[in-house]
Amino acid sequence: MTSIQTLSDPDRRLLARWAAACAERVFPLVDGDAAAVGDVAHALARTYAYADGRSSAAEEIGRRLVAVRAASQVSTPAGAAAARAVGQASAVAHMGAHALGAAGYAVKAVALAAPDGAEAIAAEVQWQLDQLDEACRAALRLLPPLGSDRSGPLGPGLLAGGVVGSTIREIQAQVGSTPA
């Protein structure tokens, strides 16, 4: 049985574009050797290709962990969070819920890099919300609340805590009701 967190392919493509935009804003924070930065950049480009219909879910699923592995080669915590944002965005082809992970890790990257943390976090979350059109909002409303469903990334795992979790909860609250 497919997880509620998967979503349809058209919904995943919509959310992949939003997730890629969230991750692209923090991509400049990705630091490290040229291979790691290149892997993250390639993952971001592939996410846009999937969103645009130039790649299939099957093609992207096998490559979704490249940016996640590259995050271990990054020099700073902010850079690692930015690489993880790209990794989450590239995983949207597999499961739509990863779009919220991309947004959460992008905000974490901003929080780690910004001297005025709270203001930077609020501004980044607002930017992310401003990028959501009604079709993306509708797709996000199909996802379960963070921590309520163990069948995907929105379970009580890595995405549920800290600034990543608070970002996801804020986005879910702002887009409206989610299934119980």
Side-chain angles (χ1 to χ4, degrees):
M1 177 184 233
T2 302
S3 166
I4 189 173
Q5 296 185 47
T6 300
L7 301 179
S8 69
D9 190 62
D11 284 341
R12 290 193 315 270
R13 288 181 191 277
L14 283 172
L15 292 179
R17 173 164 302 290
W18 174 70
C22 292
E24 185 174 31
R25 279 181 52 94
V26 296
F27 175 77
L29 296 173
V30 177
D31 53 356
D33 65 33
V37 174
D39 285 346
V40 176
H42 189 245
L44 186 59
R46 285 194 336 270
T47 303
Y48 279 116
Y50 172 73
D52 293 342
R54 294 180 282 122
S55 170
S56 71
E59 290 173 291
E60 296 311 317
I61 286 171
R63 299 183 278 192
R64 71 185 186 275
L65 297 178
V66 171
V68 174
R69 285 190 293 270
S72 68
Q73 305 300 313
V74 175
S75 304
T76 64
R84 286 185 181 96
V86 174
Q88 289 286 317
S90 71
V92 172
H94 171 250
M95 195 169 270
H98 284 290
L100 289 168
Y105 273 109
V107 171
K108 181 175 182 173
V110 166
L112 290 166
D116 60 344
E119 289 179 29
I121 289 169
E124 191 64 19
V125 172
Q126 188 58 55
W127 182 88
Q128 292 174 352
L129 289 165
D130 290 346
Q131 305 315 300
L132 290 168
D133 62 17
E134 186 48 44
C136 285
R137 287 174 179 270
L140 288 174
R141 283 192 292 270
L142 296 173
L143 295 169
L146 180 63
S148 70
D149 179 76
R150 295 182 179 274
S151 68
L154 295 179
L158 292 175
L159 297 183
V163 70
V164 174
S166 63
T167 298
I168 292 170
R169 286 182 190 89
E170 175 68 15
I171 291 169
Q172 287 192 308
Q174 292 296 319
V175 299
S177 63
T178 56

